[in-house]
Amino acid sequence: MTITKAPDADYPNEIELEIGGMTCASCANRIEKKLNKLTGVTASVNYATEKAKIRHSDDNTLEDFIATIEKTGYTAALPQPPHPTTTQPSAEPDSLRSLRQRLTLSAVLAVPVILMAMIPALQFTNWQWASLTLAAPVVMWGDWPFHVAAWKNARTGAATMDTLVSVGTLAAFSWSLYALFFGTAGEPGMTHPFTFSVERVSGTGNIYLEVAAGVTTFILAGRYFEQRAKRRAGSALRALLELGAKEVAVLRAGQETRIPVDQLKVEEQFVVRPGEKIATDGVIVQGNSAVDASMVTGESVPVEVRSGDEVIGGTVNAGGQLIVRATRIGSDTQLAQMARLVEEAQTGKAEVQRLADRISGIFVPIVIALSVATLGFWWGTGGEIGAAFTAAVAVLIIACPCALGLATPTALMVGTGRGAQLGILIKGPEVLESTRKIDTIVLDKTGTVTSGNMALIDIFSAEGESREQILRLAAATEHASEHPIAAAIAKAGSEAGPLPTVAGFQNMAGLGVSGIVEGHAVLVGRPAMLTAHDIDLGSTLAAQLIDAERRGHTVVAISWDGQARGLLVIADTIKPTSRQAISRLKDLGLTPILLTGDNATVARTVGDEVGIEHVIAEVLPAQKVEVIKKLQAEGKVVAMAGDGVNDAAALAQADLGLAMGTGTDVAIEASDLTLVRGDLLAAADAIRLSRSTLRTIKGNLFWAFAYNIAALPMAAMGLLNPMIAGGAMAFSSVFVVANSLRLRRFSSLS
């Protein structure tokens, strides 16, 4: 199997850059717009992976792109090449650790400030100065990333939620300083009573330190949880690199030498012992074996290989020793090409912008303009400067996104917490929006609909023979073999009772095994093995063999003492809950499609058993991505469920990727949702929970903005008492949390 790259003729030059300094999806959009303004350039910037893919003409250079990005206020550099042999689980990055430290200290300092401002009983003498002492580090140090981002935005004439957070918190803090040092708020015995009267006030007796500290803490919490989810975006590629072998036993001058796999050269020969991974793509020079390629190709049955056959790096040698000649190494291997497929699918995937950031493009400039207009209006109409400034600051304060800081993380925390109890892991809020419009779900077969493990499913016996005796002698003979099919027979026999010993065991490569069991000369293997020994199956067993193979099952024949005794049918078993799960998915309005690399007969049989009408079989990993793209081009919104490396690129390409938790790390990392218990029934629950969580997030965001919009006119007219603003803000936060907590009542239909 070979994955071919798309021709480069359509795009003469292509370059990828790592982008630094992005804080929201609007940052990616701004960089993308700047790059696309360059002549002969088509660029796509992905906020999740923090990378820009640029296709360009010969007139452009790397320096042009880096300069353009830096002028926009961000950093750019070429990605560092991966090192498979030294790949280690990455530690927590400095940016995330710094954010966690800021959040922790801000929360510790902000809580007493908020409590003192909102509960008059806690307002001891000079409490306001204690609040200032606690709030100052929060606004200066905790808020520092927002201040820096706001300054960068201002230099390029842009505004985001960072701008509003920075301006709002600094305005609240600055006015509090003015009121404390030049107004009456700093006098001993000053209190902050809760009053609900609406009147014009000078504001010099009020402080807003709880607003400045609270907004900072809430927004830091939201940013921290977002960064934790976003950090996993590149893990699929690291997992692919981890899948390959790290060392290889290369043959040099007739001697075996173990070297790091990246030192292996094309045309060199290397040894692969039973149970080892094949180091790289190559051709077998010597040996016969069975190769388990399910993690790469999706084939449920191990493939028999012999001298002259091609093998794929990353697959597992399940049988005898092999000597392989390397034909492709490094970035040319199929595993490396699959890594590129995952990366391209992720980069080309449309990122869902946060609703808050989209609206802020209009909301933030309007709020700032309204604040300035309010100040100018009151001052220009002869109002007191204190009242004018109070009204202007009130506009900024009431617009501060306090509830916005809680809207997404609280819903996400409650939703993901409930999901974990049900065996569903949601990686982040950016994956939820697509669940609302999902109308098609593509299912991998091996490990998703089926168990992915070979098992004995039936025994056919010749006339007068006992099924129990057939299984007993076959299992005893196969027990000495390392072949996966032999292991399935041996396991079934062991579960039925103790097995007798075998003498004179022989393994006939590619055919089967033989031995002496309880005085019987037993042959177990392919039907062709019996034919080679001039043993006739007979009409009844021959008909049963044809019927089983027509259904895509693997059939093992057994004879002893020169006579055919029976057939053992081996297959990848369907999970007990798969049929019910397909029914549930249909009830959600989804069209299930079975997509597999296995042969058409097996796929059609599985589809019929579980109730899937649409079956696409014998597809390579690259073709799986093309199938997903084709469905999307037809206007369908596609979910993909799979568990193998061969599914990783398709999971990344799909609008929603669901990985079985019993599958490979690569599939799990490339997906958006992980079904921990490996049960397809959880897929229906995952989609329902995702949709519920998304509705909750959108409801929270709507309330947060609605509260701002409703209160802004009152603030502009100078009619908003600061305590009403504080109370409204507290109520909006409580409402958002309470709305999110409703997700705890979500129940599984399983």
Side-chain angles (χ1 to χ4, degrees):
M1 180 178 73
T2 302
I3 302 171
T4 57
K5 289 181 64 178
D8 292 334
D10 294 339
Y11 303 100
N13 303 287
E14 182 174 308
I15 193 170
E16 187 175 72
L17 295 175
E18 289 184 347
I19 309 297
M22 293 192 296
T23 59
C24 62
S26 59
C27 296
N29 288 339
R30 190 175 311 117
I31 298 171
E32 191 172 294
K33 288 179 181 178
K34 291 287 187 181
L35 289 172
N36 284 323
K37 286 182 179 179
L38 299 175
T39 304
V41 172
T42 300
S44 173
V45 181
N46 190 306
Y47 171 55
T49 60
E50 297 183 338
K51 289 183 178 180
K53 177 178 285 187
I54 306 169
R55 291 171 176 167
H56 62 95
S57 65
D58 295 329
D59 298 331
N60 305 105
T61 65
L62 171 64
E63 290 72 21
D64 294 335
F65 303 134
I66 292 178
T68 300
I69 293 170
E70 289 179 346
K71 286 179 182 178
T72 313
Y74 305 91
T75 62
L78 289 171
Q80 293 297 314
H83 300 284
T85 58
T86 58
T87 301
Q88 298 292 338
S90 57
E92 183 182 55
D94 291 340
S95 59
L96 188 61
R97 183 166 56 250
S98 173
L99 196 53
R100 176 169 51 80
Q101 291 170 349
R102 291 180 193 276
L103 171 60
T104 302
L105 181 61
S106 296
V108 170
L109 297 178
V111 168
V113 174
I114 295 171
L115 291 177
M116 284 189 289
M118 295 300 178
I119 304 175
L122 299 179
Q123 295 171 4
F124 54 87
T125 303
N126 292 322
W127 67 274
Q128 65 273 41
W129 295 103
S131 292
L132 176 62
T133 303
L134 295 172
V138 177
V139 177
M140 294 297 106
W141 183 74
D143 225 1
W144 184 249
F146 303 109
H147 300 325
V148 172
W151 172 245
K152 288 182 179 179
N153 291 333
R155 291 173 59 190
T156 57
T160 65
M161 292 311 297
D162 290 327
T163 306
L164 193 55
V165 172
S166 177
V167 173
T169 53
L170 286 178
F173 186 73
S174 299
W175 183 255
S176 298
L177 288 178
Y178 173 80
L180 285 169
F181 287 99
F182 302 103
T184 60
E187 297 177 357
M190 174 267 193
T191 58
H192 233 186
F194 251 131
T195 62
F196 291 94
S197 59
V198 178
E199 58 182 339
R200 295 182 183 179
V201 293
S202 68
T204 55
N206 299 305
I207 57 175
Y208 309 119
L209 294 172
E210 77 283 1
V211 173
V215 167
T216 298
T217 303
F218 292 141
I219 300 299
L220 280 173
R223 187 64 54 84
Y224 174 71
F225 290 112
E226 178 184 11
Q227 288 294 324
R228 282 187 59 186
K230 188 163 71 70
R231 176 176 171 249
R232 300 176 65 91
S235 297
L237 302 180
R238 291 194 297 271
L240 272 174
L241 293 173
E242 282 295 316
L243 180 64
K246 301 298 180 294
E247 290 186 335
V248 58
V250 65
L251 290 174
R252 291 177 176 172
Q255 299 293 322
E256 282 190 37
T257 305
R258 297 202 70 84
I259 61 172
V261 71
D262 58 355
Q263 295 180 14
L264 184 66
K265 300 176 182 178
V266 173
E267 298 300 323
E268 283 193 311
Q269 296 183 5
F270 57 93
V271 179
V272 187
R273 292 181 172 79
E276 290 185 341
K277 292 179 181 178
I278 296 174
T280 192
D281 299 357
V283 175
I284 297 175
V285 176
Q286 180 181 323
N288 299 282
S289 183
V291 172
D292 181 2
S294 60
M295 295 176 70
V296 176
T297 66
E299 289 285 347
S300 56
V301 179
V303 180
E304 298 286 348
V305 293
R306 54 180 55 84
S307 180
D309 289 343
E310 292 187 358
V311 289
I312 301 169
T315 56
V316 178
N317 178 17
Q321 179 171 295
L322 298 173
I323 296 179
V324 180
R325 174 173 55 84
T327 57
R328 288 188 296 268
I329 60 173
S331 60
D332 295 328
T333 64
Q334 185 164 304
L335 195 61
Q337 291 182 45
M338 291 179 70
R340 283 198 294 272
L341 281 176
V342 174
E343 186 171 24
E344 288 170 5
Q346 286 185 336
T347 303
K349 190 176 182 178
E351 273 301 304
V352 179
Q353 276 194 346
R354 286 194 182 281
L355 182 59
D357 279 317
R358 288 202 298 268
I359 296 177
S360 69
I362 301 173
F363 183 67
V364 174
I366 289 177
V367 168
I368 294 174
L370 182 59
S371 177
V372 174
T374 299
L375 177 63
F377 173 79
W378 284 106
W379 197 2
T381 56
E384 293 183 8
I385 182 61
F389 193 70
T390 298
V393 171
V395 170
L396 289 175
I397 292 172
I398 203 64
C400 270
C402 184
L404 283 177
L406 292 170
T408 296
T410 53
L412 187 63
M413 284 189 289
V414 178
T416 53
R418 181 57 182 151
Q421 294 175 336
L422 301 174
I424 302 163
L425 296 182
I426 303 173
K427 288 192 175 179
E430 68 278 0
V431 308
L432 300 178
E433 192 160 335
S434 58
T435 63
R436 181 169 52 91
K437 296 181 179 179
I438 291 293
D439 54 26
T440 304
I441 182 165
V442 176
L443 305 168
D444 173 54
K445 180 183 73 68
T446 306
T448 302
V449 177
T450 66
S451 66
N453 298 316
M454 304 301 292
L456 178 68
I457 63 170
D458 206 351
I459 298 175
F460 298 124
S461 59
E463 185 176 353
E465 299 296 337
S466 162
R467 288 164 54 96
E468 290 76 14
Q469 180 71 350
I470 289 172
L471 176 59
R472 187 166 178 269
L473 296 185
T477 310
E478 294 278 33
H479 192 266
S481 173
E482 298 173 331
H483 197 286
I485 292 178
I489 296 173
K491 179 181 178 183
S494 300
E495 291 173 350
L499 298 178
T501 57
V502 58
F505 174 81
Q506 287 187 329
N507 182 10
M508 287 162 276
L511 289 174
V513 297
S514 65
I516 307 298
V517 183
E518 296 181 338
H520 300 291
V522 181
L523 293 176
V524 184
R526 295 175 180 267
M529 181 183 182
L530 272 62
T531 302
H533 285 77
D534 296 324
I535 299 174
D536 182 34
L537 281 177
S539 59
T540 302
L541 288 179
Q544 291 169 327
L545 169 65
I546 292 172
D547 180 63
E549 288 184 337
R550 184 181 295 118
R551 286 181 280 130
H553 298 151
T554 300
V555 181
V556 174
I558 180 172
S559 72
W560 61 79
D561 300 336
Q563 184 176 344
R565 307 291 179 167
L567 301 172
L568 299 99
V569 183
I570 314 298
D572 180 11
T573 55
I574 294 174
K575 292 182 180 180
T577 58
S578 289
R579 186 172 185 85
Q580 183 185 3
I582 299 303
S583 177
R584 291 276 167 78
L585 292 169
K586 289 180 178 178
D587 291 341
L588 286 171
L590 307 182
T591 300
I593 297 176
L594 189 65
L595 181 66
T596 178
D598 223 332
N599 70 72
T601 303
V602 173
R604 185 67 268 170
T605 299
V606 172
D608 291 340
E609 289 190 36
V610 299
I612 299 178
E613 292 80 16
H614 305 282
V615 176
I616 304 174
E618 299 178 9
V619 292
L620 305 180
Q623 294 172 328
K624 287 190 175 187
V625 176
E626 293 305 316
V627 170
I628 300 296
K629 288 181 178 179
K630 182 180 178 182
L631 291 170
Q632 291 170 329
E634 293 172 356
K636 300 184 184 300
V637 184
V638 183
M640 167 75 184
D643 77 321
V645 175
N646 59 305
D647 303 315
L651 287 167
Q653 175 63 39
D655 299 286
L656 181 72
L658 299 96
M660 312 303 288
T662 51
T664 66
D665 290 342
V666 179
I668 291 172
E669 296 294 351
S671 68
D672 301 314
L673 298 170
T674 301
L675 312 179
V676 176
R677 62 180 187 263
D679 185 348
L680 196 55
L681 273 173
D685 288 334
I687 292 173
R688 290 176 52 244
L689 178 60
S690 296
R691 289 176 176 177
S692 296
T693 305
L694 177 65
R695 284 195 300 270
T696 302
I697 289 174
K698 288 195 170 185
N700 288 348
L701 291 173
F702 169 79
W703 170 255
F705 276 115
Y707 142 75
N708 290 139
I709 293 170
L712 275 174
M714 294 179 62
M717 290 186 291
L719 299 175
L720 189 62
N721 184 289
M723 284 298 96
I724 294 180
M729 186 175 292
F731 175 76
S732 67
S733 300
V734 171
F735 177 87
V736 163
V737 173
N739 191 43
S740 299
L741 289 174
R742 294 188 303 113
L743 289 169
R744 296 174 63 181
R745 299 199 295 268
F746 179 89
S747 60
S748 171
L749 295 178
S750 304

